[in-house]
């Protein structure tokens, strides 16, 4: 009887279990069984994984306190994820659990969900996708809850998450509308109410409606129960007040963050102190209180992770108060504390650079500007500004380096043998001390790192990184687990370390009695002894090489011994001194520094060409800083060089003297006429010589700009930009320097935008390449083309000789109105017995030929890299396409006509020689400030 009763109970239990497991039966038992399994098993574990993942996200999030903080601590990355990848394993686990709950426990019967936990499963699914930054699938999950479970007790929370997702998808206006409606629906002012207001505040911030955001953040701060959120909302509110100009309110809000003390995260408190420091009045404020406050903060052990921020604020205080030694000290202390805040690092470097720049230590300033640029984001306004400032220092750094190096070598050359030895012995002592200190520091850091890696189990017995592997059960001590293994022999890492240390001291000993009395070095066999001996020999040879650095002969042997070489170094040094004097005078207005360089130059007995320009520049400087010295220098120039142009200028300050044919102005006008005639190669050489000859004269910037134009014509846009940049940087205060800067900013971007096109044209050319116009083969080619034009009475065709680069040229046939005509002519010239031209022709449209000459991209054209839809820069009337018209024959086919130009105002580079139609010139657009040509190409 008892057995039968047991059987009945078992049968009944199995039946009830089967009924409860069914997702198709809408019974009390099924509903509650599935709800219970969903809530306390699957969703519980999924929520744990989600919470852990959120914690990871917050820890990985790095707030940028230089900008307005976002409401939510989550950084959205633009990294694309491959199928199967995930950002955080915890979120993948949470999504898996939510999916499992839906698949196994959903009771969708007759279109209605009977399991009351399914809304929470979909909510968990949406959250996990949201934190994985898969916002579209997350939105689908949230919308499903709103559609299927409108009466869910989680409905308000789901609506908030949906709008947060909408904001991530940049649907901020929709989020504002929906959240505003939601706030009217919420009856109780609890955490949900706070979250809704916080989300709405973020939407307003995204829409730049800061006033509206302030009101919502206040409500969120008031009703949230999380201290971390209170601190963050108050900090954001203070930042908003600051941006809106309410300084007092901002200061008070920052103080509220500080007053939260340990209830707030330490980073908010420290940054609040830093923001308050930004409002400090450095002229009228209480400096003693300010310093006491920040010194106390620096000494507080809790603030050690934020010493970079605190030292930076103290450095700013000293910087503003002109106490530069203390400012430099604290900037360096801020840098010493390694930080992930790259902008803070950049700010430290930038401010140090400014200190050195303002004290005229340009070489050091340049190094700090370099470090600043490494830390800043490219293509930002600040980056471009500092980059330009750094480029201005390029020549200073270059010439200061030359001057210091050559001065040092020349001074050592002039010393006696004993003096040189004594000098290098002192130098070697310093080297040894520095090397010893560096070695000790490196050993200390290596030991610390090794200990850390060993303690964390990242290295094995051979000091090589361990490969990641699945944990295996402990054999030696099954009851001990991971971190709880404190016994020496239970930890394989410490055992391996002990074995290694033993081998370092005793060598490889064989396992035997009285092992300490074993003879030899403990090596196992002779091969090891030989290998060890070879290693020792290599070590000795390396040590011998190292020791050579610590002998005076090592350096003395490297000194030059030839007087010719010393004279060359002296000449290079003198030119560097001259350039430094001019740069300090013209570019930086550091007149005393410029005078020091030029005075030192004159003491060095420089070559004759530098003496007069140096004396004249000194006269100009003395007129500003010392009138008596100016008069003395003027008298020296007139007495020592009475026939020089400088003496004439000083004797006739109103320029009442005749210009000789050899004067800088006359030479420039002659070169400019040759430039107009198209003799670019000759003019380039002559211009370079003129720049060297008239060094120091006020007309040099004109020569430099003329040279830049020629370089552009012969070498293309890239070299043209470099040449213009040189003029802009070295002569920033001259009219030519300003014009070059304008051309870089306005013209060059438009010229760079030009593209070779595959579009049809009504104006074509035939090109034949040549190296030399006077070459025999080129003359024969020209004669055959001329004969062809004459025989067929093609008067509309013309021929020009066009320069392409310094080494390559073109013989060009103009006046073709179609590509087919050009192809036919090239066939006749190649195949007809009277011509038989075997040179390979290049058929090109006039538009493409213009671009070809501007950008020097013949290879690109020949490779067929043409675009069907070329960009059309807006020239504002300064660039006009060639007009479609019939060409007229020119009397002299080999010399194109040129338009008259003002030699004192050279235009930006236009077409190279011969790129024209009969009624005008086709070429680059003139710069906006230059007068435009009245003709159209």
């Amino acid at each position: 009887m008892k057995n039968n009763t047991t059987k009945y109970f078992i049968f009944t239990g199995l039946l009830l279990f089967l009924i409860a497991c069914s997702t198709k039966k809408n019974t009390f038992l099924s509903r509650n069984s599935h709800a219970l399994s969903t809530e306390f098993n699957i969703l519980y574990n999924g929520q744990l994984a989600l919470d852990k993942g959120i914690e990871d996200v917050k820890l990985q999030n790095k707030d940028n306190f230089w900008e307005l903080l976002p409401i939510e601590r989550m950084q959205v990355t633009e990294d694309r994820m491959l199928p199967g990848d995930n950002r955080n394993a915890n979120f993948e686990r949470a999504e898996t659990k939510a999916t499992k709950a839906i698949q196994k426990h959903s009771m969708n019967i007759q279109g209605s969900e009977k399991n009351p936990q399914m809304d929470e499963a979909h909510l968990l699914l949406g959250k996990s996708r949201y934190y994985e930054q898969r916002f579209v699938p997350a939105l689908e999950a949230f919308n499903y809850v709103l559609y299927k479970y409108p009466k869910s007790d989680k409905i308000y929370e789901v609506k908030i998450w949906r709008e947060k997702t909408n904001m991530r998808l940049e649907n901020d206006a929709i989020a504002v509308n929906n959240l505003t409606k939601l706030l009217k629906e919420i009856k109780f002012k609890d955490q949900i109410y706070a979250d809704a207001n916080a989300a709405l505040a973020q939407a307003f911030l995204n829409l730049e409606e800061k006033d509206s955001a302030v009101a919502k953040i206040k409500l969120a701060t008031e009703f949230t129960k999380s201290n971390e959120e209170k601190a963050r909302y108050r900090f954001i509110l203070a930042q908003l007040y600051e941006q809106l100009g309410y300084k007092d309110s901002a200061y008070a809000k920052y103080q509220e963050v500080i007053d939260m003390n340990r209830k707030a995260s330490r980073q908010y408190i420290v940054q609040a102190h830093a923001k308050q420091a930004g409002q400090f009045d450095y002229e009228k404020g209480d400096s003693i209180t300010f310093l006491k406050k920040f010194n106390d903060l620096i000494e507080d052990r809790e603030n050690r992770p934020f010493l970079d921020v605190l030292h930076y604020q103290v450095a700013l205080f000293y910087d503003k108060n002109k106490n530069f030694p203390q400012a430099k000290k604290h900037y360096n202390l801020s840098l010493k504390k390694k930080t992930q805040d790259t902008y803070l690092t950049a700010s430290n470097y930038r401010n140090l650079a400014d200190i050195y720049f303002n004290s005229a230590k340009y070489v050091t300033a340049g190094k700090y500007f370099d470090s600043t640029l490494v830390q800043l984001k490219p293509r930002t306004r600040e980056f471009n500004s500092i980059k330009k400032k750094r480029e201005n220092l390029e020549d200073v750094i270059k010439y200061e380096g030359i001057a210091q190096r050559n001065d040092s070598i020349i001074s050592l050359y002039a010393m006696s043998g004993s003096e040189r030895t004594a000098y290098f012995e002192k130098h070697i002592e310093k080297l040894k001390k520095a090397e010893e200190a560096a070695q000790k520091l490196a050993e200390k850091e290596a030991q610390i790192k090794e200990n850390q890696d060993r303690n964390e189990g990242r290295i094995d017995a051979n000091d090589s990184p361990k490969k990641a592997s699945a944990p295996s059960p402990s054999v030696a001590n099954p009851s001990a687990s991971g971190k709880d293994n404190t016994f020496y022999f239970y930890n394989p890492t410490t055992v391996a370390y002990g074995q290694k240390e033993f081998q370092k001291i005793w060598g490889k000993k064989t396992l035997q009695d009285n092992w300490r009395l074993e003879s030899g070095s403990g090596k196992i066999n002779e091969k090891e002894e030989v290998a060890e001996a070879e290693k020792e020999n290599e070590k000795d040879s390396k040590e011998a090489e190292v020791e050579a650095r610590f002998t005076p002969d090592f350096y003395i042997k490297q000194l030059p011994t030839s007087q010719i070489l010393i004279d060359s170094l002296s000449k290079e040094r003198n030119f560097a001194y001259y350039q430094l004097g001019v740069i300090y005078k013209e570019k930086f207005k550091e007149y005393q520094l410029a005078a020091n360089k030029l005075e030192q130059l004159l003491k060095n007995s420089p070559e004759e060409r530098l003496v007069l320009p140096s004396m004249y520049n000194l006269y100009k400087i003395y007129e500003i800083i010392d009138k008596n010295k100016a008069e003395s220098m003027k008298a020296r120039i007139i007495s020592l060089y009475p026939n020089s142009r400088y003496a004439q200028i000083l004797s006739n300050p109103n320029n009442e003297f005749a210009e000789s044919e050899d004067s800088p102005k006359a030479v420039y006008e002659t070169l400019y006429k040759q430039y107009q005639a198209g003799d670019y190669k000759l003019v380039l050489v002559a211009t370079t010589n003129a720049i060297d000859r008239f060094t120091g004269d006020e007309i040099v910037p004109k020569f430099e700009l003329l040279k830049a134009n020629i370089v552009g014509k012969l070498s293309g846009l890239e070299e043209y930009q470099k040449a213009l940049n040189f003029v802009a940087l070295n002569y920033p205060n001259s009219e030519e320097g300003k014009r070059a800067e304008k051309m870089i900013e306005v013209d060059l971007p438009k010229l760079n935008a030009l593209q070779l096109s595959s579009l049809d044209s009504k104006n074509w050319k035939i090109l034949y390449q040549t190296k030399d116009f006077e070459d025999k083969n080129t003359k024969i080619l020209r004669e055959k083309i001329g004969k062809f034009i004459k025989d067929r009475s093609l008067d509309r065709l013309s021929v020009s000789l066009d320069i392409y680069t310094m080494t390559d040229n073109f013989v060009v046939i103009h006046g073709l109105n179609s590509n087919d005509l050009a192809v036919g002519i090239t066939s006749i010239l190649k195949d007809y017995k009277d011509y038989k031209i075997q040179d390979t022709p290049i058929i090109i449209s006039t538009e493409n030929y213009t671009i070809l000459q501007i950008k020097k991209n013949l290879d690109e054209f020949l490779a067929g890299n043409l675009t069907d839809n070329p960009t059309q820069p807006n020239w504002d009337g300064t660039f006009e396409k060639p007009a479609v018209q019939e060409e007229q024959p020119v009397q002299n086919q080999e010399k194109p006509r040129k338009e008259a130009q003002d030699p004192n105002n050279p235009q930006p580079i236009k077409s190279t020689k011969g790129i024209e139609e009969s009624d005008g010139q086709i070429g680059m657009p003139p710069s906006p400030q230059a007068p435009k040509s009245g003709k159209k190409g």
Side-chain angles (χ1 to χ4, degrees), residues 611-741:
V611 174
L612 258 177
S614 299
M615 295 175 71
Y616 183 73
N617 276 295
L618 274 173
Y619 164 74
K620 289 288 190 181
I621 294 168
Y622 290 152
E623 276 194 317
I624 298 170
I625 63 175
D626 192 331
K627 295 289 185 182
N628 294 329
K629 285 187 176 181
E631 289 299 321
S632 175
M633 184 57 69
K634 176 181 177 181
R636 281 182 63 190
I637 293 172
I638 294 173
S639 63
L640 294 176
Y641 305 94
N643 298 323
S644 69
R645 186 169 182 274
Y646 294 104
Q648 293 179 34
I649 293 172
L650 294 175
S651 301
N652 302 278
N654 296 323
N655 293 328
E656 296 176 356
F657 59 90
E659 290 281 355
S660 66
E661 294 181 0
D662 202 33
S663 69
K665 184 177 180 181
V667 171
Y668 177 78
E669 290 176 350
T670 301
L671 290 176
Y672 192 79
K673 288 177 182 177
Q674 292 176 344
Y675 164 78
Q676 287 181 297
D679 297 328
Y680 304 131
K681 297 177 183 178
L682 293 175
V683 175
L684 180 61
V685 175
T687 303
T688 303
N689 293 334
I691 291 170
D692 186 55
R693 177 183 172 191
F694 299 118
T695 298
D697 197 286
E698 294 176 353
I699 203 172
V700 169
K702 288 185 180 295
F703 283 110
E704 290 284 8
L705 187 57
L706 178 61
K707 181 181 177 181
N709 287 333
I710 300 170
V711 167
K713 288 178 179 293
L714 296 177
S715 302
L717 282 183
E718 187 175 345
E719 294 301 318
Y720 185 44
Q721 182 166 358
K722 292 179 182 177
L724 285 176
N725 198 48
F726 178 84
V727 179
L729 292 177
N730 285 280
Y731 308 99
N733 300 316
S734 68
E735 186 62 32
E736 290 73 22
K738 294 173 183 176
R739 191 180 308 152
E741 181 67 30

Side-chain angles (χ1 to χ4, degrees), residues 64 69 240 322 338 355 414 469 496 528 581 666 737 748 794 820 823 858 936:
N64 181 7
L69 295 182
L240 284 171
K322 311 297 182 185
K338 302 300 181 183
I355 290 173
S469 60
E528 289 188 0
L748 285 178
L794 297 173
D820 292 339
V823 171
L858 178 61
K936 297 182 180 180

Side-chain angles (χ1 to χ4, degrees), residues 74 101 229 270 381 383 402 463 525 529 592 679 740 796 841:
M74 186 181 84
E229 288 182 356
V270 172
R381 183 176 297 177
F383 180 90
I402 292 172
D463 278 354
N525 51 47
E529 292 180 1
Q592 188 57 57
D679 297 328
R796 71 176 183 274

Side-chain angles (χ1 to χ4, degrees), residues 801-869:
L801 306 179
D802 293 2
I803 294 173
Y804 182 59
T805 65
M806 283 293 288
T807 57
D808 298 315
N809 308 295
F810 293 128
V811 176
V812 186
I813 302 176
H814 305 268
L816 308 169
N817 56 21
S818 72
N819 182 55
D820 292 339
L821 177 60
V823 171
I825 290 175
T826 56
S827 298
I828 293 172
L829 291 174
K830 179 180 179 181
D831 300 329
Y832 197 70
K833 63 180 180 179
D834 289 346
Y835 313 118
K836 289 290 182 180
I837 296 176
Q838 299 304 312
D839 300 66
T840 303
I842 300 172
I843 299 173
I844 188 171
S845 66
T846 297
E847 295 85 353
N848 281 344
Y849 185 54
T850 302
I851 297 170
L852 187 76
Q853 285 285 8
I854 292 171
K855 304 184 83 169
K856 307 299 178 187
N857 54 351
L858 178 61
D859 292 339
E860 184 181 339
F861 176 79
L862 294 177
N865 296 332
L866 311 179
T867 180
D868 296 331
N869 187 24

Side-chain angles (χ1 to χ4, degrees), residues 155-173:
I155 197 69
Y156 294 153
E157 184 178 356
V158 173
K159 286 184 177 180
I160 293 170
W161 279 97
R162 182 186 65 176
E163 302 319 319
K164 287 171 68 174
T165 310
N166 269 326
M167 285 187 279
R168 296 295 184 183
L169 295 172
E170 299 182 0
N171 299 323
D172 299 301

